[in-house]
Amino acid sequence: MFYLAANISSAQEIRVYFSPNGGCQEAVVSEIRKATQTIDIAMYYLSSSGIARALAKKYQENNVRVRIVLDQGQEIESASKSGYLIKEGLQVRYHMGFGLMHNKFAIIDGKSLITGSFNWTLTAEEKNEENLLIITDEGTIEKYKERFDYLWNTSRPDSRNARGVNAVPAWFCSTYHLFCSN
C-alpha cells in the first residue's frame, strides 16, 4: 500500500518560474502547445501577443476548445487581446461581479494547472516581480476546474460580436452596470 501511494505522489509535479525574464511567458506558451482537447483560462489581464497567438494557433490548427473568462474591464481596454481572440473564434466571456475578476489561472486538458501572480502581459514578463506555478496534482486541478465552471457560468459574452455589431442589448449593460461598449 505504501509503495502505491508513493508512486502516485511522485507523478505529481510543481514547476516554479519567476519574472522578470524568468521564463514565465515561455512556460505558459509551452503548456498551451501541449493541449490536445481543452484550455480553460480565468485571467485578470491578457495583453501578451505571444500568448494570444499561441491560443489562436492551438484553436485553429488542432480544434482545441478554448474558453476564457476575463475581468469585465478587458472588454474596453485597448491593450487587451480579447477582441483579437474573439475574432479568431475563441470563446471569451467577461466577469459580471462588482469586484475585479483577479484570478490568474489556466487548466490544460484537465491535466495541468498554470497559476500564480503572473499576469499574461509583456510588462509582467519583462519588468514586474511575479511568479508562476505549473501544477499536475489532480485534486488541486479539480478545485480549479470547479471554480472555472462557476466563473464561466456567471460571466457574459462580449457585448459585440466579431464584426463589431452589438450583441448584448444596451439595457442589459446599464441594468447590470457592465462595461459594454457601443
Side-chain angles (χ1 to χ4, degrees):
M1 186 78 160
F2 175 77
Y3 177 74
L4 178 62
N7 254 356
I8 291 171
S9 65
S10 68
Q12 299 166 355
E13 177 184 31
I14 299 175
R15 287 179 277 150
V16 180
Y17 302 86
F18 296 97
S19 64
N21 301 312
C24 293
Q25 180 169 298
E26 183 51 40
V28 171
V29 170
S30 177
E31 289 300 305
I32 290 168
R33 288 180 181 146
K34 293 176 189 175
T36 60
Q37 298 174 340
T38 61
I39 301 172
D40 290 334
I41 300 166
M43 187 58 52
Y44 169 65
Y45 201 91
L46 199 166
S47 65
S48 165
S49 296
I51 293 173
R53 281 192 306 270
L55 288 166
K57 183 175 182 179
K58 183 52 75 167
Y59 169 75
Q60 292 163 353
E61 292 180 359
N62 301 95
N63 202 25
V64 170
R65 182 191 72 190
V66 180
R67 299 185 300 169
I68 304 168
V69 176
L70 298 171
D71 183 71
Q72 63 184 344
Q74 293 302 289
E75 185 174 27
I76 60 171
E77 171 61 46
S78 62
S80 174
K81 296 301 178 199
S82 62
Y84 164 78
L85 294 167
I86 291 166
K87 287 178 183 174
E88 294 297 316
L90 286 72
Q91 299 177 61
V92 176
R93 291 189 180 180
Y94 300 96
H95 176 63
M96 289 178 50
F98 288 102
L100 296 175
M101 199 298 298
H102 211 252
N103 285 290
K104 299 165 186 83
F105 69 86
I107 304 161
I108 311 294
D109 292 335
K111 296 178 183 175
S112 69
L113 168 68
I114 303 167
T115 192
S117 67
F118 184 72
N119 282 300
W120 292 7
T121 68
L122 187 61
T123 301
E125 177 65 15
E126 295 180 351
K127 296 179 182 175
N128 294 351
E129 294 288 343
E130 304 203 27
N131 67 77
L132 181 83
L133 300 171
I134 300 177
I135 302 169
T136 61
D137 176 68
E138 292 175 8
T140 303
I141 292 168
E142 187 57 37
K143 292 201 179 297
Y144 275 83
K145 284 170 60 177
E146 290 171 8
R147 190 60 181 180
F148 179 83
D149 289 341
Y150 164 78
L151 291 168
W152 182 257
N153 291 327
T154 59
S155 296
R156 64 170 174 78
D158 192 74
S159 65
R160 297 160 287 131
N161 65 23
R163 292 170 287 148
V165 178
N166 283 343
V168 176
W171 66 264
F172 182 85
C173 298
S174 61
T175 301
Y176 294 102
H177 309 288
L178 303 174
F179 295 110
C180 300
S181 54
N182 294 327

